[in-house]
Amino acid sequence: MYYIENNGAGIKLGAILFDFLSSYEENFRELVFVCIGSDRITGDSLGPLVGHSLSRQGLSSAYVYGTLSNPVHALNLRETIEEINLRHPDSLVIAVDASLGTRKHTGCLTISRGALEPGLGVKKKLPPVGDISITGIVNSAGNFDHFNLQTTKLSTVVRMADAIVFGILLAYRRYFYGTARISVQT
């Protein structure tokens, strides 16, 4: 797992994600982004914010599940995974979610190979998802995890979502088109 601090986080994330995509051992025809979270809790809105931004980019060979208007969360995650397995059997799945961590790591992004286990921070047992995992540590873990998610600053979540989207677009364009030119729509 890589921890990425604030300064240049999008560029660093993009470089690592590109390396992951380039070294992936199995052939994949498309990317599927599963952006997990709820738009009703500030700290948990990271995934839907990323999904919202990615869905507006018109990326060919890429599909986005989990947006502000159609979030993927604890109540529909299993069904979403089943749908992805059915509709996108030759895909590489990249899961994005908010997480809680140590005070020292608050504000950091993480990226790792392997499945993401959503809900761990709030002690929910949900199915793992993804071949690559990206998280944003939105607040510190503790005795009041639900409260910490509810009181997370929106500006923190938006900054992290912007960095994740920037990194994903950087890696996507470099991998599929050999260029790192970014045009971000707002």
Side-chain angles (χ1 to χ4, degrees):
M1 178 179 296
Y2 294 88
Y3 285 86
I4 303 167
E5 295 187 14
N6 296 334
N7 293 341
I11 293 170
K12 293 172 189 171
L13 179 76
I16 296 168
L17 180 56
F18 174 76
D19 287 344
F20 284 3
L21 294 175
S22 299
S23 64
Y24 196 70
E25 294 175 5
E26 296 178 35
N27 290 333
F28 60 91
R29 293 182 182 201
E30 53 197 19
L31 292 176
V32 174
F33 297 95
V34 182
C35 303
I36 302 162
S38 171
D39 62 330
R40 296 175 183 231
I41 300 170
T42 305
D44 200 31
S45 65
L46 179 70
L49 281 168
V50 169
H52 173 78
S53 293
L54 287 176
S55 69
R56 300 177 72 205
Q57 294 295 319
L59 304 175
S60 60
S61 301
Y63 300 87
V64 178
Y65 290 81
T67 63
L68 290 171
S69 59
N70 201 4
V72 172
H73 45 65
L75 299 178
N76 65 4
L77 180 62
R78 285 181 187 2
E79 294 81 18
T80 302
I81 292 170
E82 289 173 11
E83 181 178 347
I84 290 167
N85 290 337
L86 183 66
R87 290 182 178 220
H88 310 283
D90 297 323
S91 65
L92 180 74
V93 178
I94 299 174
V96 179
D97 197 5
S99 67
L100 298 172
T102 65
R103 187 177 309 268
K104 172 181 146 185
H105 287 130
T106 299
C108 290
L109 304 178
T110 71
I111 182 169
S112 61
R113 296 176 199 267
L116 186 140
E117 294 186 42
L120 281 182
V122 289
K123 294 161 187 60
K124 287 186 180 176
K125 183 70 174 152
L126 298 171
V129 60
D131 301 299
I132 296 172
S133 305
I134 299 172
T135 67
I137 303 172
V138 297
N139 214 329
S140 56
N143 293 331
F144 305 103
D145 292 337
H146 285 287
F147 180 75
N148 287 349
L149 284 174
Q150 291 171 354
T151 59
T152 298
K153 289 179 63 173
L154 181 59
S155 63
T156 300
V157 177
V158 170
R159 177 184 48 76
M160 296 173 86
D162 288 346
I164 291 169
V165 170
F166 185 86
I168 287 171
L169 293 176
L170 194 65
Y172 171 88
R173 294 210 168 101
R174 188 171 171 206
Y175 182 80
F176 285 104
Y177 303 108
T179 178
R181 189 176 46 117
I182 301 292
S183 64
V184 177
Q185 296 176 351
T186 56

